[in-house]
Amino acid sequence: MKAATYHRYGGPEVVSITEMPRPTPGENEVLIKVHASTVSAGDWRLRSLEVPRGFGLAVRAFAGWSRPRQPVLGGDAAGVIVEKGAGVQGWGIGDAVVAYPSAKMGGHAEYLLMPAKGILALKPERLSFAEAAAIPFGGLTALEFLCDKGRLKAGEKVLIVGASGAVGSAAVQLARHLGAEVTAVCSGANAALVKDLGAAHVVDYKAHDLADLAARFDIILDTTETAPWSRVRHLLTRRGRLLVVSGGLGSMVRMLFNRRIIGGVSMGSTEGLERLMQLVKEGAFFPLIDRGYAFEQVARAHAHVDTGRKTGAVVLAMLPEQQAAGAHTAHLE
Ligand SMILES: NC(=O)c1ccc[n+]([C@@H]2O[C@H](COP(=O)([O-])OP(=O)(O)OC[C@H]3O[C@@H](n4cnc5c(N)ncnc54)[C@H](OP(=O)(O)O)[C@@H]3O)[C@@H](O)[C@H]2O)c1
């Protein structure tokens, strides 16, 4: 099978398409023919080792000290189950699914092995494979931070910093769906987009200093490392929480002493993925897609993600028709 592989850390040029053996599912695994994946901020970090300050050693220890242990990136995938192990129940050949191998990666290949009890859900018919692949990374992270870590309640005021990214665009929609009043921080160019996603107010970070906002928030969710506690604590209500999706070692240390600063790594869950798919079916959530690239253009897709300017997800289309599907902002209603 074809796979996009990398064998050293570095820029987009370290990724190239190579041949690998097609995997065979074990007793409790399914083999998915991947139709679409994404190049995410997670792929960028694991490829480049550009990680928040203080995390370099930990990421090397996880990903491989001098070279990557897992040569195939891709934490999202959508495709069709084509083989399954003898012990697999609940999944059938031909099922169209969305999968989240997450940090185990492997989605940038023609075939992906997943544990049958891994983070897998049926793809709603109304979504193309490209649209489905665009959901897990941003959607599951936003869901876990807002609900499990942040315990968001209806009626709360939420400030989302980085609202036009993959995590932020999902967070705006989910917070709004859960009954929060959302203020989105993004550049002026993306203001209309985030309003469309459900933000009641928009702050252009290029024109205004966050620290000068007069409003107070029950939750601040930061995906950009620009809202550390020292800069935004006066914007929080008495019980307000700062959710650090992206932050350096300083934030981690502060978390040890301050229960209102909440961070960590989102692992995703099957329940979370099923919940997102249900929201899609109800018309309450849709994936924001920046653009799609053909599989052969994987290095170009990485280069675009490296700019840090993408809006939502960048889709990697393993089948040509999924590239077209990924080249728009996918409003479903
Ligand atoms: N903790 C976890 O488990 C976890 C999970 C997933 C992701 N993450 C991390 O979360 C971060 C965000 O991920 P992502 O996928 O959402 O990234 P992304 O899609 O690459 O974010 C890009 C977006 O961020 C916006 N942006 C950049 N600087 C900004 C600023 N100062 N204020 C407001 N918006 C700004 C950009 O808008 P403009 O072009 O308009 O600036 C762009 O639309 C990454 O660092 C990632 O590693 C952590």
Side-chain angles (χ1 to χ4, degrees):
M1 68 168 183
K2 285 192 170 56
T5 57
Y6 78 128
H7 298 281
R8 63 190 168 91
Y9 298 116
E13 72 286 352
V14 301
V15 182
S16 60
I17 306 278
T18 50
E19 280 294 329
M20 288 182 82
R22 173 175 156 160
T24 308
E27 173 86 3
N28 296 307
E29 290 178 321
V30 296
L31 184 69
I32 298 167
K33 178 157 178 50
V34 180
H35 290 214
S37 181
T38 68
V39 178
S40 71
D43 295 312
W44 158 63
R45 291 213 184 274
L46 283 180
R47 192 211 69 229
S48 65
L49 282 192
E50 281 182 45
V51 293
R53 206 145 56 91
F55 288 96
L57 295 182
V59 174
R60 269 187 196 269
F62 163 78
W65 200 255
S66 54
R67 53 165 54 207
R69 228 173 262 130
Q70 158 60 296
V72 183
L73 292 168
D76 298 309
V80 174
I81 294 178
V82 290
E83 281 180 45
K84 63 177 195 167
V88 172
Q89 292 182 341
W91 295 111
I93 305 299
D95 282 349
V97 292
V98 53
Y100 190 52
S102 183
K104 289 197 179 127
M105 299 287 175
H108 292 175
E110 282 183 292
Y111 294 92
L112 169 70
L113 269 187
M114 284 289 291
K117 294 195 170 156
I119 304 180
L120 268 179
L122 280 174
K123 178 185 79 64
E125 269 180 28
R126 66 189 311 184
L127 289 182
S128 68
F129 287 99
E131 289 161 346
I135 290 180
F137 180 82
L140 287 171
T141 304
L143 189 67
E144 191 168 322
F145 270 84
L146 288 174
C147 294
D148 304 337
K149 295 179 188 290
R151 305 201 171 276
L152 172 68
K153 293 187 268 308
E156 289 195 313
K157 293 194 166 139
V158 178
L159 181 74
I160 293 168
V161 188
S164 52
V167 178
S169 61
V172 171
Q173 295 181 68
L174 291 171
R176 156 85 186 267
H177 174 72
L178 294 165
E181 181 185 305
V182 176
T183 301
V185 182
C186 64
S187 61
N190 291 323
L193 180 66
V194 300
K195 274 207 157 162
D196 211 22
L197 296 175
H201 316 282
V202 178
V203 178
D204 176 356
Y205 74 91
K206 293 187 173 165
H208 302 283
D209 189 340
L210 260 193
D212 293 339
L213 289 179
R216 294 293 171 265
F217 301 94
D218 302 293
I219 286 183
I220 297 178
L221 181 145
D222 178 27
T223 73
T224 64
E225 293 175 56
T226 62
W229 178 258
S230 54
R231 186 164 178 235
V232 298
R233 69 179 182 202
H234 62 286
L235 302 180
L236 285 167
T237 55
R238 206 164 54 82
R239 289 170 184 261
R241 296 83 83 196
L242 173 62
L243 306 182
V244 184
V245 177
S246 189
L249 197 59
S251 293
M252 284 287 280
V253 172
R254 271 216 154 97
M255 270 172 227
L256 300 173
F257 307 100
N258 186 339
R259 291 171 57 191
R260 292 167 63 205
I261 310 176
I262 306 164
V265 177
S266 160
M267 304 307 290
S269 67
T270 308
E271 298 69 34
L273 192 57
E274 282 170 351
R275 188 169 173 192
L276 291 173
M277 294 305 132
Q278 184 57 34
L279 291 175
V280 165
K281 286 187 203 159
E282 292 166 10
F285 183 81
F286 59 87
L288 177 66
I289 296 179
D290 178 296
R291 63 183 73 173
Y293 287 89
F295 188 34
E296 293 68 27
Q297 298 175 308
V298 59
R300 280 182 57 193
H302 274 269
H304 181 57
V305 174
D306 279 23
T307 64
R309 302 267 84 86
K310 71 182 169 69
T311 48
V314 165
V315 167
L316 194 58
M318 324 307 269
L319 301 183
E321 63 271 22
Q322 296 305 324
Q323 187 190 355
H328 66 286
T329 299
H331 275 279
L332 292 177
E333 291 279 317

